[in-house]
């Protein structure tokens, strides 16, 4: 019998990719998702329970029925800008949701908990690359809600007798290499889907800020392929952490690309010239965010990023766009 893993947010962008890899690695992923942003058609690799992270009864029923040893927690709201407009919603879903889930995991004897955190916990880091020793200091409710969740896990791990793995993702990007899953282009706020959309539809694309203290004046980010992000979870499942302990990793490649470099890549891959408009800085953006300490995951989990070529990351999103838009 394959081991069951409960995946909250399993119908989402990263969660569905994780379910696919779980199934490929012999696990049985059970998706728990309210489908507010996740897509039910992405739940192909195991059963699904439709439920909200704040619905304790539904969570009880799912944990009772499937008895997972591990819970992987992706379900969250993820838009930084929205979090500044709707902080209560973000604290409720992300922070209170995680706390409620920890409580349920304790009641149901879950042994391992893998948590999706974010580089947003570092806020505006004083130096780059960002190591695990870099002081945290989120600059928006999204980052705070994730940092609070980390703290809840740290404080509750031993009481709940759960082994906790925290992954701080840098810029999750790319799409499923087989083009079976991927990002939503509708209303996308992230750079690569927006560029692909602009390239395909001939609509204008805005660069937010060209006066940053970087080589070409645009922001630099560490783009980590969604497949690699998902694969880190498989590595964590294979090498579990002892009950009551918490381990933390930066999940990135350890190198950055500027907005202009990503734009060039999208033009190369799509063969289209993008109508670029230079706009002012977007509130809350930091100039450079590159993951440091990426060797820690290599040493402790045997994980490292495999899709490190920006053109390949972009090509996978482009392939997915073509699948989504074929008629
Ligand atoms: N950008 C543009 N134009 C756009 C969209 C984005 O110039 O239309 C720029 C942004 O200003 C930024 C870069 O592209 O400089 C990357 O922006 P994204 O929105 O793709 O990603 P962020 O770096 O803002 O956010 C990511 C994650 C968040 C996480 C954050 C950590 O998506 O979940 O990193 O700082 F919180």
């Amino acid at each position: 019998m394959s081991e069951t893993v409960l995946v909250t947010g399993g119908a989402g962008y990263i969660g569905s990719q994780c379910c696919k890899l779980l199934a490929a690695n012999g696990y049985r992923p059970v998706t728990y998702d309210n489908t507010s942003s996740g897509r039910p058609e992405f739940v192909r690799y195991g059963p699904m329970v439709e439920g909200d992270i704040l619905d304790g009864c539904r969570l009880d029923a799912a944990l009772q029925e499937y008895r997972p040893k591990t819970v992987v927690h992706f379900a969250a709201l993820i838009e930084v800008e929205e979090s500044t407009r709707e902080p209560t919603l973000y604290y409720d879903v992300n922070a209170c949701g995680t706390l409620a889930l920890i409580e349920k995991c304790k009641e149901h004897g879950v042994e391992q908990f893998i948590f999706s955190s974010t580089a947003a916990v570092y806020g505006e880091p004083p130096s780059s690359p960002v190591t695990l020793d870099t002081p945290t200091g989120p600059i928006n409710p999204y980052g705070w809600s994730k940092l609070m969740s980390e703290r809840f896990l740290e404080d509750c791990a031993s009481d709940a007798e759960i082994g906790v793995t925290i992954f701080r993702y840098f810029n999750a990007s790319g799409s499923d290499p087989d083009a079976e899953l991927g990002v939503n282009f509708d209303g996308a706020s992230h750079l690569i889907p927006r560029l692909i959309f602009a390239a395909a539809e001939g609509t204008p694309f805005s660069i937010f800020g060209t006066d940053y203290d970087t080589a070409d004046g645009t922001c630099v980010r560490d783009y980590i392929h969604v497949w690699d992000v998902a694969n880190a979870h498989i590595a964590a499942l294979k090498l579990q952490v002892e009950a009551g302990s918490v381990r933390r990793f930066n999940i990135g490649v350890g190198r950055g690309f500027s907005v202009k470099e990503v734009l060039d890549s999208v033009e190369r891959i799509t063969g289209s010239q993008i109508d670029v408009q230079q706009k002012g800085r977007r509130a809350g953006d930091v100039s450079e965010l590159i993951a440091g300490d990426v060797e820690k995951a290599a040493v402790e989990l045997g994980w490292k990023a495999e899709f490190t070529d920006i053109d390949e990351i972009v090509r996978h999103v482009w392939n997915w766009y073509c699948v989504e838009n074929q008629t």
Side-chain angles (χ1 to χ4, degrees):
M1 260 278 277
S2 50
E3 187 187 321
T4 298
V5 177
L6 188 81
V7 183
T8 76
Y13 170 52
I14 308 177
S16 60
Q17 186 74 68
C18 185
C19 288
K20 181 173 178 176
L21 286 192
L22 282 167
N25 281 274
Y27 296 93
R28 180 195 192 207
V30 175
T31 289
Y32 185 88
D33 200 300
N34 68 2
T35 67
S36 62
S37 60
R39 292 168 56 168
E41 70 271 25
F42 284 178
V43 185
R44 300 181 189 151
Y45 312 101
M48 162 148 175
V49 177
E50 192 164 345
D52 196 279
I53 201 67
L54 291 166
D55 184 343
C57 295
R58 201 87 183 115
L59 267 174
D60 269 330
L63 289 162
Q64 184 68 41
E65 181 175 357
Y66 292 104
R67 304 194 166 280
K69 280 209 319 214
T70 300
V71 167
V72 185
H73 181 34
F74 293 103
L77 298 172
I78 58 159
E79 298 293 336
V80 170
E81 194 272 331
E82 184 185 53
S83 80
T84 63
R85 286 184 284 109
E86 306 224 39
T88 24
L89 181 64
Y90 272 69
Y91 288 124
D92 202 24
V93 174
N94 293 3
C96 300
T98 302
L99 190 58
L101 182 60
I102 297 168
E103 187 63 31
K104 292 296 172 196
C105 288
K106 179 182 166 187
E107 281 170 33
H108 290 270
V110 170
E111 295 170 20
Q112 296 283 308
F113 193 107
I114 306 178
F115 178 61
S116 297
S117 190
T118 167
V121 300
Y122 295 112
E124 298 203 41
S127 57
S128 180
V130 184
T131 65
L132 287 158
D133 298 328
T134 300
T136 51
I139 54 169
N140 49 59
Y142 169 69
W144 276 114
S145 70
K146 289 287 186 175
L147 188 59
M148 284 175 181
S149 301
E150 287 195 15
R151 183 62 198 239
F152 296 155
L153 285 162
E154 213 169 321
D155 288 349
C156 301
S158 113
D159 172 54
E161 293 178 50
I162 293 178
V164 173
T165 304
I166 294 171
F167 287 132
R168 290 176 174 168
Y169 312 149
F170 281 65
N171 285 56
S173 53
S175 281
D176 177 37
D178 308 322
E180 292 174 345
L181 307 162
V183 283
N184 285 336
F185 294 94
D186 233 16
S189 67
H190 290 145
L191 178 64
I192 297 177
R194 278 201 174 182
L195 281 168
I196 294 278
F197 186 85
E201 307 291 328
T203 52
F205 168 79
S206 302
I207 298 188
F208 300 136
T210 52
D211 59 348
Y212 285 97
D213 186 16
T214 57
D216 65 18
T218 63
C219 292
V220 171
R221 295 287 183 272
D222 187 328
Y223 294 93
I224 174 80
H225 197 293
V226 64
W227 188 96
D228 282 315
V229 173
N231 202 32
H233 298 70
I234 309 300
L237 264 159
K238 288 183 177 164
L239 281 170
Q240 305 201 340
V241 58
E242 122 194 22
S245 302
V246 179
R247 58 185 175 179
R248 232 185 226 90
F249 301 93
N250 278 344
I251 296 297
V253 174
R255 61 95 187 87
F257 289 98
S258 71
V259 172
K260 281 187 179 160
E261 286 172 325
V262 177
L263 190 151
D264 288 346
S265 169
V266 172
E267 289 191 334
R268 266 195 306 276
I269 298 303
T270 62
S272 301
Q273 187 151 11
I274 296 173
D275 172 10
V276 179
Q277 305 189 341
Q278 302 196 351
K279 294 274 174 66
R281 294 183 175 197
R282 189 174 68 174
D285 275 349
V286 299
S287 66
E288 179 170 306
L289 211 46
I290 298 174
D293 282 342
V294 289
E295 324 59 51
K296 185 180 180 211
V299 172
E300 292 185 23
L301 299 177
W303 174 91
K304 77 177 178 39
E306 291 183 24
F307 294 104
T308 56
D309 175 8
I310 193 68
D311 282 359
E312 196 166 21
I313 289 175
V314 166
R315 187 179 306 110
H316 289 163
V317 184
W318 175 233
N319 291 345
W320 174 241
Y321 183 88
C322 295
V323 168
E324 284 269 83
N325 290 281
Q326 69 196 351
T327 44

